[in-house]
Amino acid sequence: MSASIISTSKPTEKTTTWHQWRAKSHKWVPYLFISPFFIIFLVFGIFPMLFSLYLSFHYWEPAAGLSAMEWVGWENYQFALTDDWFHKSLYNTFWMALASGVPQHLVAIPLAFFIHTSFKRARNGVIGVYFLPYITSTVAVAMIFTTLFSRDYGLVNMVLTSIGTISIGGIEPLLGFSQRKISIGTNLNIPKA
């Protein structure tokens, strides 16, 4: 029988340092992976907000460069608070928030309750169909509409032409509107007559 020889010698200092460095290196790797987000967020999110705040206390003609900034303190805020256009814009903003937000919630909450209570087994499918427009790419929708409304081979144009309500060159007599007032799809490229 042969006996295996197992070394019980202590590891050298060089290998110990290498293992310690590798153990510590795994701690900073997640920060390396998340750093692109933080860099982009700082450059395009935090910096513009802070610079805008700094800029709000200055009078600045941008064409003259950064050296043309003149400190005015609270004057810009005093002007904004006494300006009639600023008050009108605040009123319009709050009015649009109420006029668009309240009806949306009055429809959305009952609709969510209806979907949740009425569809037991098919609820996930109904929710998927409901949210399909939000997850469908605009480019994909544009390509579908371009294919459907194509002059040469578009299914919709073939059907409309066969019943005599449209000319292939453009959407002329559809429902009595001129082609400049009709918007179908997102990328139709209909020539203007």
Side-chain angles (χ1 to χ4, degrees), residues 5 31-32 43 52 61 72 78 87 98 106-107 111 120 129 141 183:
I5 300 174
Y31 298 107
L32 180 69
V43 171
S52 296
E61 188 64 42
V72 293
Q78 290 171 345
H87 292 137
L98 283 174
L106 288 176
V107 170
L111 181 63
K120 297 294 182 193
V129 169
V141 172
S183 173

Side-chain angles (χ1 to χ4, degrees), residues 40-142:
I40 291 171
F41 182 67
L42 285 172
V43 171
F44 294 106
I46 299 294
F47 172 74
M49 285 192 299
L50 294 177
F51 186 70
S52 296
L53 180 67
Y54 175 74
L55 194 59
S56 70
F57 293 102
H58 290 81
Y59 172 77
W60 182 38
E61 188 64 42
L66 289 174
S67 60
M69 293 176 74
E70 177 186 339
W71 176 263
V72 293
W74 293 96
E75 286 181 30
N76 290 333
Y77 290 99
Q78 290 171 345
F79 174 76
L81 292 174
T82 58
D83 187 27
D84 290 335
W85 283 97
F86 179 72
H87 292 137
K88 186 169 179 72
S89 68
L90 281 179
Y91 171 77
N92 290 342
T93 301
F94 287 121
W95 170 248
M96 286 300 293
L98 283 174
S100 65
V102 171
Q104 284 179 7
H105 285 83
L106 288 176
V107 170
I109 292 172
L111 181 63
F113 178 77
F114 172 73
I115 289 173
H116 183 73
T117 57
S118 297
F119 300 99
K120 297 294 182 193
R121 296 185 125 182
R123 182 172 47 216
N124 290 340
V126 170
I127 291 172
V129 169
Y130 178 77
F131 283 112
L132 193 63
Y134 295 105
I135 60 174
T136 304
S137 166
T138 306
V139 175
V141 172

Side-chain angles (χ1 to χ4, degrees), residues 139-162:
V139 175
V141 172
M143 290 177 65
I144 290 169
F145 271 93
T146 302
T147 303
L148 288 175
F149 289 94
S150 171
R151 283 190 202 162
D152 301 325
Y153 304 107
L155 180 64
V156 174
N157 275 344
M158 283 183 184
V159 170
L160 291 175
T161 303
S162 68

Side-chain angles (χ1 to χ4, degrees), residues 24-39:
K24 289 179 183 178
S25 70
H26 292 294
K27 293 179 182 177
W28 59 266
V29 169
Y31 298 107
L32 180 69
F33 285 125
I34 197 70
S35 65
F37 164 77
F38 283 115
I39 292 169

